[in-house]
Amino acid sequence: PEIVRIENVFKKYTLGTSQVQALREIDLQIRSGEFLAIAGPSGSGKSTLLNLIGCIDTPSSGKIYIDGRDTSGQTPDQLSELRARTIGFIFQTFNLFSVLSAEENVEYPLLQFKELSAAKRRERVVRFLDIVGLREFAQHRPNQLSGGQRQRVAIARALATHPKIILADEPTANLDHKTGEDILQLMKQINRNSSTTFIFSTHDAKVMAMAERLVRIEDGQLVEEDMVA
Ligand code: ADP
Ligand code: ADP
């Protein structure tokens, strides 16, 4: 089944009197369970596209459907709800709370779900820290962890809410090559073991090569590549 559908989307930013056409004529369909890379140089529109899919921003024109829902018909509250229940985010700068331990960071997004008991939250925290290989590091704060370990915490935090889609904006940009490859392998393994769809952006050719499907953005326009892996 289809999890994301983008139809003829344009995104324009206005900065004072000047305008930037960040995305033009974007059409993209993503099936549930895909492991998709959005590749392109800096400034090509990758973050803008991920922000639109993540319902953090809205298109200037065109339609975006997430899990069958037309996002243009939703109120801001409905969009927050859709985001919280359907999407997990991973960032290039990890975005962990520095005063919280690894396990507290993973638990944090679960606190918004009133239906989850403390015991259920605990169960998910333990389970997902285990999946990312950080069981022994549950009590560590971000500054007591390596870059790769911090990104693993961020992956566990993203998974903890049971999202259908994980959006990762340049997840390896702040990691050395070997660590970045390990993080991509972990994401791929999680993708295979669950039905979670992964959509990640990158400007690194070695990371692109690990995708199962690759779309390229050039100057705000999308070009689909042949299968790479
Ligand atoms: P990438 O993620 O590929 O580096 P972005 O999506 O961040 O590209 O940016 C695409 C274009 O839109 C660039 O020209 C960038 O300067 C511009 N842009 C991005 N965000 C904003 C914004 N909030 N306001 C104005 N222009 C923006
Ligand atoms: P439940 O906990 O509702 O009985 P499951 O335990 O099968 O159902 O899975 C719950 C969620 O955890 C699902 O969103 C699934 O995609 C995710 N999940 C299960 N196993 C893994 C795994 N090994 N890696 C990542 N996510 C997983």
Side-chain angles (χ1 to χ4, degrees):
E2 185 178 84
I3 190 81
V4 176
R5 170 186 287 262
I6 300 175
E7 287 178 355
N8 200 27
V9 158
F10 288 69
K11 179 65 181 179
K12 189 161 50 181
Y13 292 111
T14 304
L15 279 173
T17 55
S18 68
Q19 295 195 322
V20 180
Q21 191 70 55
L23 294 175
R24 285 178 277 176
E25 238 187 314
I26 304 285
D27 286 295
L28 181 62
Q29 283 156 259
I30 303 172
R31 276 170 290 105
S32 183
E34 283 201 83
F35 194 73
L36 171 77
I38 297 171
S42 181
S44 57
K46 303 183 297 298
S47 298
T48 300
L49 182 56
L50 286 175
N51 289 345
L52 294 181
I53 297 171
C55 306
I56 287 172
D57 203 353
T58 53
S60 306
S61 64
K63 292 268 193 191
I64 300 182
Y65 299 85
I66 303 294
D67 200 18
R69 274 198 276 178
D70 179 353
T71 58
S72 63
Q74 312 271 314
T75 65
D77 279 356
Q78 288 173 321
L79 281 182
S80 311
E81 174 82 5
L82 177 67
R83 205 159 47 226
R85 302 261 171 203
T86 312
I87 298 166
F89 294 92
I90 297 171
F91 305 92
Q92 91 178 55
T93 50
F94 321 128
N95 291 15
L96 301 174
F97 290 112
S98 58
V99 298
L100 300 183
S101 66
E103 62 183 10
E104 288 166 340
N105 269 285
V106 176
E107 184 179 27
Y108 189 83
L110 300 179
L111 297 171
Q112 69 189 310
F113 300 130
K114 301 302 173 209
E115 75 275 16
L116 280 182
S117 65
K120 283 277 173 211
R121 291 201 305 268
R122 181 78 210 148
E123 199 179 289
R124 289 202 194 180
V125 169
V126 169
R127 176 180 187 196
F128 288 106
L129 277 178
D130 207 29
I131 284 173
V132 301
L134 288 182
R135 195 207 301 232
E136 315 299 323
F137 296 87
Q139 313 293 335
H140 289 232
R141 290 192 185 176
N143 67 3
Q144 299 170 315
L145 296 168
S146 68
Q149 289 171 328
R150 289 180 204 187
Q151 197 58 301
R152 284 170 190 267
V153 174
I155 292 170
R157 175 183 58 184
L159 289 169
T161 58
H162 291 177
K164 293 184 177 170
I165 306 167
I166 289 197
L167 299 176
D169 195 354
E170 303 253 11
T172 64
N174 285 298
L175 302 173
D176 64 64
H177 175 64
K178 170 70 171 73
T179 306
E181 203 173 283
D182 291 346
I183 288 294
L184 252 289
Q185 285 298 355
L186 174 65
M187 285 168 45
K188 207 164 184 167
Q189 182 198 326
I190 292 165
N191 169 257
R192 289 201 176 128
N193 292 343
S194 66
S195 51
T196 316
T197 305
F198 278 78
I199 305 170
F200 58 96
S201 66
T202 186
H203 62 260
D204 179 340
K206 296 222 172 73
V207 173
M208 292 171 205
M210 295 174 77
E212 278 161 14
R213 180 181 169 200
L214 184 66
V215 296
R216 222 175 259 280
I217 297 196
E218 280 163 23
D219 204 15
Q221 285 188 293
L222 211 61
V223 190
E224 182 116 9
E225 299 279 300
D226 290 336
M227 296 290 282
V228 286

